[in-house]
Amino acid sequence: MLPNTGKLAGCTVFITGASRGIGKAIALKAAKDGANIVIAAKTTQRHPKLLGTIYTAAEEIEAAGGKALPCVVDVRDEQQINSAVEKAVERFGGIDILVNNASAISLTNTLETPTKRVDLMMNVNTRGTYLTSKACIPFLKKSKVAHILNLSPPLNLNPLWFKQHCAYTIAKYGMSMCVLGMAEEFRGEIAVNALWPRTAIHTAAMDMLGGSGVESQCRKVDIIADAAYSIFKRPKSFTGNFIIDENILKEEGIKNFDIYAITPGHPLLPDFFLDEQPDAVMEEKTSNDPVPEVKEEKLQLQEQPQQQEQPQQQEQPQQQEQPQQQEQPQLQEQPQLQEQLQQQEQPQLQEQLQQQTQQQEQPRLQEQPQQRTQQRTQQRTQPQPLVQSMLPPKAHFGAVEETFRIVKDSLSDEVVRATQAVYQFELSGEDGGTWFLDLKSRGGKVGHGEPSDRADVVMSMATEDFVKMFSGKLKPTMAFMSGKLKIKGNLALAIKLEKLMTHMNSRL
């Protein structure tokens, strides 16, 4: 952890959304120096699922050594913002640091994002950041510290980050564009920067999205608090930067980032808008490991060349592994596969199937008796995947069908009780079509075609990506974020499916 230096003693820090999560963590870090904290947030009464109010946060801040001023502020309301700024100046004599942390999120595509939700994201993220900055700037100009910090991502114009949640990306990038413009406008007077995490951060909102167990793939809010503190220590000349938490803490000499992990050593979910990390790690993984081990694997953003997906020949086909169940996944923010299917990779099976099909389609007149005998002998002696050897021969046996048979073997009444959802898969490509996974019926059901009951979640993707997802080579979160997976229906139930796949992995 980054030690406190006392640099912020007596400074007044105005933080939006500081009643819980990242905002509160930054507040507590500054409070340890003896800072004054203005808690500008909406929550005045305890939420049944989201812990914390402006008043409970104030108690924690004062217990940590700071002074607190809780203010009821909805950043969509300019009057409430201005009122809170006036109270802060009256109480503490000025404002030294502004943290624009309040944010709203909806990971829905254009046609499925209601106008009301578009307005919410635009008004909270972009407009709220702009108006709060505007209200604080006259007082920040008088400060020797003078920092504005927006919790927003680097401006990455890769279409990947727009195609599945255009409204959210625009709203979040609006916060980043405030950094871009205001840093230049107030250069020499106020430092204006953006801070963004490299990985998912565990907050109450993340729990709501991902359910129990998602925290194992996240880091603590402390990493953002330490990174923000590092920024506040810097002079006004440090401005116009889009900072990643890990990077600035490395500059501070932090080397062991396991101290920030909820579950040290567990693979972490990369955050949105950062597309440099997952590919590099995945390339290294696919080139070195014949069987993908989720404990070391990172999420994949883009497909790797096909030859990287081929298992190495020394891979043992009869891995005596059986699918197992786990908890629930998390898509966002929110997905998770802590341990995933480790069965023999599907590309090899598909290649074998293609070869068998080609052999069957050759005219019998061209086959010599001796060749047919050799083929039969090779097929009997050549090792086959365990799952295939367990199944009766069929005229049409594809990787998708095999995957669903593995899923079926992993189901139980316990899994059904824990999930209570019906999933429908619309698969394009070879062996595609409509498939379902019914986790409401006793024992669970899988099959080709539509489920008997209406699906709670409909997932659309290519068959190749479907097989990769269930075999652990493509995580649902990254499939969704990269546009390979489209989801309609209950997102929270979609997240549960990811945890089920994690469970299955431990039984393989």
Side-chain angles (χ1 to χ4, degrees):
M1 299 286 187
L2 189 67
N4 281 67
T5 63
K7 172 76 174 180
L8 302 184
C11 289
T12 298
V13 187
F14 191 106
I15 308 176
T16 65
S19 60
R20 63 176 69 93
I22 289 172
K24 189 179 76 172
I26 295 174
L28 291 173
K29 182 71 175 180
K32 291 178 182 178
D33 271 5
N36 309 314
I37 310 298
V38 182
I39 307 163
K42 294 190 305 178
T43 308
T44 58
Q45 295 182 348
R46 183 169 178 172
H47 189 280
K49 294 184 179 179
L50 295 174
L51 301 178
T53 69
I54 59 175
Y55 305 114
T56 59
E59 291 174 359
E60 292 183 55
I61 287 166
E62 294 188 347
K67 295 180 180 179
L69 175 62
C71 296
V72 180
V73 176
D74 182 338
V75 295
R76 294 173 292 179
D77 189 323
E78 185 176 14
Q79 184 175 351
Q80 290 185 17
I81 294 171
N82 292 336
S83 176
V85 170
E86 291 175 4
K87 290 178 182 178
V89 174
E90 181 181 355
R91 172 81 176 272
F92 300 121
I95 296 175
D96 299 288
I97 297 171
L98 165 64
V99 180
N100 287 305
N101 168 69
S103 186
I105 182 173
S106 178
L107 299 179
T108 46
N109 61 36
T110 300
L111 297 180
E112 295 177 353
T113 308
T115 302
K116 182 181 294 186
R117 193 158 292 276
V118 174
D119 291 342
L120 174 67
M121 290 188 286
M122 299 299 177
N123 289 337
V124 172
N125 300 359
T126 301
R127 184 174 179 271
T129 293
Y130 185 92
L131 292 180
T132 307
S133 299
K134 181 182 177 181
C136 291
I137 283 171
F139 304 99
L140 290 168
K141 282 185 173 185
K142 300 175 184 179
S143 171
K144 294 181 180 180
V145 179
H147 273 273
I148 294 177
L149 180 64
N150 294 353
L151 273 295
S152 64
L155 289 167
N156 182 350
L157 296 184
N158 185 342
L160 166 70
W161 302 114
F162 289 82
K163 63 183 293 185
Q164 291 301 106
H165 37 75
C166 188
Y168 171 66
T169 298
I170 292 172
K172 205 65 186 173
Y173 279 12
M175 298 176 69
S176 299
M177 293 176 76
C178 286
V179 170
L180 194 65
M182 292 179 186
E184 196 62 33
E185 182 177 0
F186 302 106
R187 185 173 293 276
E189 297 179 287
I190 304 170
V192 186
N193 297 287
L195 175 61
W196 195 246
R198 184 171 296 282
T199 71
I201 303 298
H202 182 231
T203 62
M206 180 71 77
D207 277 338
M208 289 184 67
L209 181 62
S212 175
V214 64
E215 65 274 6
S216 62
Q217 295 187 80
C218 301
R219 281 176 172 161
K220 303 172 185 176
V221 290
D222 297 330
I223 191 171
I224 298 296
D226 281 3
Y229 187 81
S230 175
I231 294 169
F232 300 153
K233 294 191 302 177
R234 305 195 178 210
K236 296 177 183 179
S237 57
F238 183 76
T239 190
N241 301 290
F242 293 89
I243 301 153
I244 304 302
D245 56 357
E246 259 190 31
N247 296 348
I248 196 166
L249 290 177
K250 285 177 181 177
E251 293 179 14
E252 293 281 358
I254 302 293
K255 296 180 180 179
N256 177 20
F257 286 89
D258 273 352
I259 59 175
Y260 296 112
I262 299 293
T263 306
H266 196 281
L268 300 168
L269 291 169
D271 211 333
F272 286 86
F273 310 116
L274 305 178
D275 51 19
E276 80 278 5
Q277 178 192 14
D279 288 338
V281 178
M282 194 62 184
E283 282 183 355
E284 178 182 353
K285 198 69 194 122
T286 53
S287 62
N288 293 335
D289 291 347
V291 179
E293 293 284 347
V294 169
K295 290 183 180 179
E296 300 173 1
E297 182 184 20
K298 297 297 181 185
L299 294 170
Q300 176 181 5
L301 271 176
Q302 300 173 357
E303 291 189 51
Q304 304 299 322
Q306 186 171 358
Q307 55 265 34
Q308 288 182 335
E309 299 170 358
Q310 298 290 342
Q312 299 186 10
Q313 292 183 356
Q314 65 263 34
E315 179 179 351
Q316 302 190 4
Q318 291 188 352
Q319 303 175 35
Q320 299 179 0
E321 309 159 324
Q322 293 296 328
Q324 175 172 344
Q325 319 143 19
Q326 188 184 324
E327 309 133 290
Q328 312 161 326
Q330 158 165 6
L331 277 165
Q332 186 83 111
E333 286 212 74
Q334 71 232 160
Q336 63 211 83
L337 298 177
Q338 303 171 357
E339 308 160 328
Q340 303 174 325
L341 296 175
Q342 297 177 357
Q343 83 178 66
Q344 189 176 12
E345 291 179 303
Q346 300 300 331
Q348 183 183 24
L349 176 59
Q350 291 175 344
E351 182 179 349
Q352 292 174 356
L353 294 172
Q354 290 173 357
Q355 291 175 353
Q356 292 174 9
T357 302
Q358 291 173 358
Q359 292 170 0
Q360 292 172 359
E361 291 176 349
Q362 290 177 354
R364 293 181 177 273
L365 292 176
Q366 294 180 1
E367 292 186 5
Q368 298 298 324
Q370 184 177 2
Q371 292 175 333
R372 292 199 299 270
T373 302
Q374 291 175 347
Q375 288 176 358
R376 294 191 189 100
T377 302
Q378 290 173 355
Q379 291 175 358
R380 284 195 299 268
T381 59
Q382 187 177 25
Q384 298 294 324
L386 177 61
V387 174
Q388 184 172 351
S389 67
M390 292 166 56
L391 300 172
K394 299 188 69 173
H396 180 71
F397 183 73
V400 173
E401 184 173 358
E402 177 190 359
T403 300
F404 274 109
R405 291 185 175 213
I406 296 172
V407 172
K408 175 61 178 175
D409 288 343
S410 74
L411 299 182
S412 67
D413 288 336
E414 181 183 355
V415 173
V416 171
R417 284 194 300 271
T419 310
Q420 286 297 295
V422 176
Y423 302 92
Q424 182 173 320
F425 302 89
E426 297 294 340
L427 306 180
S428 60
E430 185 177 359
D431 303 325
T434 300
W435 296 76
F436 71 88
L437 171 58
D438 182 348
L439 296 180
K440 284 185 177 178
S441 300
R442 183 174 181 179
K445 297 179 181 179
V446 301
H448 190 272
E450 295 186 1
S452 55
D453 294 332
R454 181 179 178 182
D456 299 292
V457 182
V458 178
M459 298 184 173
S460 302
M461 64 193 311
T463 56
E464 181 181 4
D465 292 327
F466 171 84
V467 172
K468 288 180 184 177
M469 190 171 75
F470 270 86
S471 64
K473 294 176 62 183
L474 175 64
K475 295 189 177 181
T477 304
M478 288 312 301
F480 175 73
M481 289 165 57
S482 63
K484 295 178 181 178
L485 168 62
K486 295 183 179 180
I487 299 175
K488 292 183 180 181
N490 189 317
L491 185 60
L493 291 178
I495 290 171
K496 280 192 173 185
L497 180 62
E498 188 174 357
K499 286 194 174 182
L500 171 62
M501 287 187 280
T502 308
H503 246 335
M504 291 169 55
N505 171 48
S506 58
R507 291 185 62 183
L508 279 176

